[in-house]
Amino acid sequence: MEPDSGVKKQNWDVKETEVFLEILEDLDMKKCLDGRKVRNSKLFRVAQRRMTAAGFHRSVDQLKIRWKLLKSAYYRCKRDSEALAPVKVQGWWRYEKSMVAIMESQHALVHSDGTDDATEDSDSSVVNWLRPDHDDVGVQNLDLAIETEPVMDSQLRVGFIGAGNMAFGIAKGILSGKVAASSVTVSAPSSRNLSRFQEMGVAVTHSNVDVVCRSDLVFVAVKPHLVPPVLSEISGHVTEKHVVVSVAAGVTLETLEELLPRDASVIRLMPNLPCLLQEGALLYCRGSRAKTEDGALLRALLRGCGLLEEGAEAWMDVHTGLSGSGVAFVYLFAEALAEGALKMGMPSSLAHSMAAQTVLGAGRLLRDSGKHPAQLRSEVCTPGGTTIFGLHALEQGGVRAAAMAAVQSATERAQELGRRK
């Protein structure tokens, strides 16, 4: 098998580094620096996806190491302007101007006219993730396309029909961006869940129609069985200017479009509970009348919610089983870890706090390292050590098969909910 010539393992060439610096400048690296350290690790994950889209395949760790090397060269030049080859960075003098632009930028993120420096340049772009082609047997071709990122309108009006945890988590993520609380309206039949929205400065109402009339983009965040009556209620007030985003598990785009006017732009979105902490895993797909810019607008809007990707509708129920229900599976495993420690004599409160931190740390390392889970697992194991003995016990208990069956079962339940209209 011939090696993939498109993947560079070690050496960086000049062009690749220049593309990397252009991406970091576009993402406003300086804003993410706390002293000399980057305080927003999400920036490197976004940079990795943009590098991939540009044809350069690097892990998040490789990007971080390259940044540290370039940053060291910059600071050494600042200390000694006469220094030759401040560190071993091939072609440094071609990068110096870009590094100065990144490290000494003074531009404001948002101008008085509402435009954003990161989106003002027509060359600024984001990756439109995995828009697949379909055939009778499923997805065959996955193409990475580049599209222009929209300028976020600070006057965009956002509405939520439903005030549950998903709506609250998404609202928190949206408000962490450029949308003002005064531009958000939430409705619910009772006042039980509305107080926490009011504490954020969001307008509340008991009228779903009122939400639609006061919004440009409307999230329908109700239980699946309530979607038909809710959409029937608001249908007469939905115009071609609205974007309707459903977060109801199992409710298909076909069903949503049947219940709304012919010219309505519909998007199906599946978030999960960690959206409450802006660490969600979100997948969306666009309806037949939703435009490319509608999807781009949603991505810009939900930046603060966590990881957001676009995919085929066939993946939505799978995502529900994996990331929606999967949160509970992780909680069950964390509980079992703590009970194992309890069995071996550790106090309950300590066992549970250590289990929670173990799950958190393992998850962040898996996300940020760019490594396959099997590779990270092998790095923990040593010959004849404690971990391999524990893994053997898990395999004897069928933990791998049980987890796969759990995702399958949850996916099939989501599909079953979708068949109920």
Side-chain angles (χ1 to χ4, degrees), residues 13-25:
D13 60 31
V14 172
K15 178 60 178 175
E16 185 177 12
T17 300
E18 288 177 337
V19 170
F20 181 44
L21 289 175
E22 288 174 5
I23 291 170
L24 294 183
E25 184 174 3

Side-chain angles (χ1 to χ4, degrees), residues 191-340:
S191 300
R192 183 166 54 92
N193 290 328
L194 292 178
S195 59
R196 55 182 176 175
F197 288 93
Q198 289 177 300
E199 291 172 0
M200 296 192 297
V202 170
V204 300
T205 177
H206 297 304
S207 170
N208 297 333
V209 171
D210 190 28
V211 168
V212 174
C213 294
R214 295 170 60 176
S215 304
D216 305 303
L217 188 147
V218 179
F219 289 93
V220 178
V222 298
K223 300 291 185 184
H225 70 279
L226 294 176
V227 170
V230 166
L231 294 189
S232 296
E233 177 190 2
I234 67 172
S235 179
H237 302 273
V238 174
T239 70
E240 60 181 7
K241 296 181 180 180
H242 284 97
V243 178
V244 179
V245 182
S246 169
V247 298
V251 182
T252 65
L253 287 171
E254 180 182 7
T255 298
L256 296 168
E257 291 182 337
E258 285 177 356
L259 294 167
L260 290 168
R262 292 176 58 86
D263 56 356
S265 294
V266 178
I267 295 177
R268 185 178 169 192
L269 172 72
M270 272 311 304
N272 65 353
L273 191 60
C275 282
L276 288 168
L277 298 177
Q278 286 76 63
E279 289 290 355
L282 305 93
L283 185 69
Y284 76 93
C285 59
R286 292 179 291 119
S288 60
R289 293 180 292 277
K291 299 180 286 294
T292 301
E293 49 265 38
D294 295 332
L297 175 63
L298 185 68
R299 287 199 306 277
L301 191 64
L302 299 185
R303 275 183 191 148
C305 291
L307 175 65
L308 175 65
E309 307 250 3
E310 180 175 9
E313 186 173 27
W315 302 344
M316 297 298 288
D317 292 332
V318 181
H319 177 69
T320 301
L322 169 63
S323 300
S325 302
V327 172
F329 306 157
V330 172
Y331 293 154
L332 179 65
F333 186 71
E335 182 184 15
L337 285 178
E339 289 178 346

